[in-house]
């Protein structure tokens, strides 16, 4: 029996918790710093404000639109995604013509967040970190028909809001830390092990396991005020999920972790 390594080509797209403050409409984003020798140092160019910073409260749409055509336009487009009237806040989507991402309106203040979306989000209100101020938990579908989401907690500050993104890629990284793969070339079985639990899958003779994709499906759901993550391990060769990972999302207002990570086998030998 041989222990699999990166040769199995487990897809791992890694990103961290997006805890950086948003960009306001009045600020100019910093440019990446590049080093150069004095002889070939480029001449400084004036920075330009992003196009979305030209938007005002009066220019924002007040009715949702069908996102089916929204991404087809190359010209700048903005749409209302969802709003919470009792908090006087709303989320607006920006197409690539505006630079992408979302605008978050808090009263008369506009904040920009880098967030991918492909369909209308689902919003929950609550004190998810145990603090005093109400927070928002938003489920962002990454595409119109996909089974993958990002979960983002938005927390109010003295000035503005901050966002903590629990993305599919981050969950992949955390699951991969505890996941062990064993390939038995004689029996043609792949064993996935995680925290004392195992899932074994028989492969056809004269085949290698091929590529295993973590996070082919990644969902978040709420139950009694807590959020939970469900993610699978997908075999491209067999065209099916081999196992499903489940965990509770713990959010403290600054960062998050996955608690009680477990694995359920989808198939047997």
């Amino acid at each position: 029996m041989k222990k699999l390594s990166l040769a199995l080509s487990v897809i791992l797209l890694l990103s961290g918790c997006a805890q950086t403050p948003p960009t306001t409409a009045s600020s100019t984003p910093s440019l990446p710093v590049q080093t150069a020798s004095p002889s070939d140092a480029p001449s400084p160019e004036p920075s330009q404000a992003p196009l979305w910073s030209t938007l005002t409260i009066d220019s924002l749409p007040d009715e949702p639109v069908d996102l089916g055509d929204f991404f087809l336009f190359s010209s700048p487009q903005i749409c209302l995604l969802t709003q919470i009237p009792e908090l006087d806040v709303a989320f607006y989507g920006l197409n690539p013509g505006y630079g992408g991402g979302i605008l978050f309106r808090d009263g008369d203040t506009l904040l920009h967040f880098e967030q991918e979306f492909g369909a209308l989000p689902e919003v929950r209100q609550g004190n998810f970190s145990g603090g005093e101020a109400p927070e928002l938990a938003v489920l962002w579908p990454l595409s119109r028909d996909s089974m993958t989401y990002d979960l983002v907690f938005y927390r109010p500050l003295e000035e503005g809001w901050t966002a903590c993104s629990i993305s599919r890629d981050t969950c992949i990284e955390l699951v991969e830390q505890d996941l062990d793969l064993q390939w038995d070339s004689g029996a043609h079985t792949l064993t996935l092990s995680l925290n004392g639990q195992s899932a074994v899958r028989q492969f056809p003779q004269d085949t290698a396991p091929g590529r295993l994709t973590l996070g082919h499906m990644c969902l978040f759901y709420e139950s009694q005020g807590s959020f939970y993550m469900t993610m699978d391990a997908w075999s491209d060769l067999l065209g099916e999920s081999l196992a499903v990972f489940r965990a509770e999302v713990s959010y403290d207002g600054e960062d998050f972790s996955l608690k009680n990570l477990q694995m359920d086998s989808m198939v047997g030998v």
Side-chain angles (χ1 to χ4, degrees):
M1 181 179 291
K2 297 184 296 183
K3 182 174 180 180
L4 293 182
S5 62
L6 293 180
L8 192 64
S9 300
V10 179
I11 294 181
L12 299 174
L13 304 175
L14 308 180
S15 64
C17 184
Q19 196 56 251
T20 56
T23 307
T24 62
S26 60
S27 64
T28 301
S30 59
L31 299 178
V33 177
Q34 297 180 343
T35 59
S37 61
S39 59
D40 60 3
S43 302
E45 296 181 0
S47 59
Q48 294 182 348
L51 186 58
W52 58 260
S53 65
T54 62
L55 293 168
T56 64
I57 296 296
D58 294 335
S59 64
L60 298 178
D62 53 11
E63 293 292 337
V65 298
D66 183 4
L67 291 182
D69 299 329
F70 180 71
F71 298 101
L72 299 179
F73 295 99
S74 59
S75 60
Q77 301 289 326
I78 181 172
C79 68
L80 173 63
L81 296 174
T82 187
Q83 55 186 335
I84 304 96
E86 58 270 29
L87 297 181
D88 194 20
V89 300
F91 290 91
Y92 301 85
L94 303 175
N95 77 336
Y98 266 125
I102 61 170
L103 278 184
F104 177 69
R105 181 186 62 78
D106 177 16
D108 294 331
T109 301
L110 295 179
L111 305 173
H112 181 265
F113 292 96
E114 296 292 342
Q115 176 60 50
E116 183 181 353
F117 66 96
L120 297 179
E122 301 177 26
V123 182
R124 307 284 190 274
Q125 300 181 50
N127 295 327
F128 303 106
S129 66
E132 298 181 357
E135 299 163 321
L136 301 177
V138 183
L139 294 170
W140 291 101
L142 299 187
S143 67
R144 189 175 181 88
D145 302 315
S146 76
M147 295 286 288
T148 55
Y149 287 75
D150 284 349
L151 170 62
V152 183
F153 290 100
Y154 296 90
R155 183 170 61 91
L157 305 175
E158 291 185 3
E159 294 185 4
W161 292 64
T162 186
C164 181
S165 176
I166 306 171
S167 68
R168 173 190 62 175
D169 298 338
T170 308
C171 292
I172 290 174
E173 178 184 11
L174 295 175
V175 169
E176 192 270 343
Q177 293 175 1
D178 294 330
L179 180 63
D180 181 70
L181 304 174
Q182 298 282 345
W183 170 247
D184 189 327
S185 58
H188 282 269
T189 57
L190 176 64
T191 302
L192 297 82
S193 302
L194 181 140
N195 297 337
Q197 300 170 308
S198 297
V200 182
R201 180 60 163 102
Q202 179 76 57
F203 280 73
Q205 294 295 319
D206 301 323
T207 62
R211 186 171 63 178
L212 186 69
T213 303
L214 296 181
H216 176 265
M217 176 235 3
C218 184
L219 303 175
F220 298 92
Y221 63 93
E222 180 189 11
S223 178
Q224 298 181 347
S226 297
F227 280 88
Y228 298 85
M229 180 276 300
T230 299
M231 188 179 73
D232 71 340
W234 174 269
S235 169
D236 287 3
L237 177 65
L238 301 178
E240 61 185 36
S241 296
L242 305 186
V244 171
F245 309 97
R246 308 178 194 276
E248 181 180 354
V249 176
S250 177
Y251 169 65
D252 63 7
E254 299 292 336
D255 206 345
F256 82 98
S257 61
L258 297 182
K259 297 171 52 180
N260 303 319
L261 180 60
Q262 300 180 4
M263 178 180 66
D264 297 328
S265 175
M266 297 294 291
V267 292
V269 176

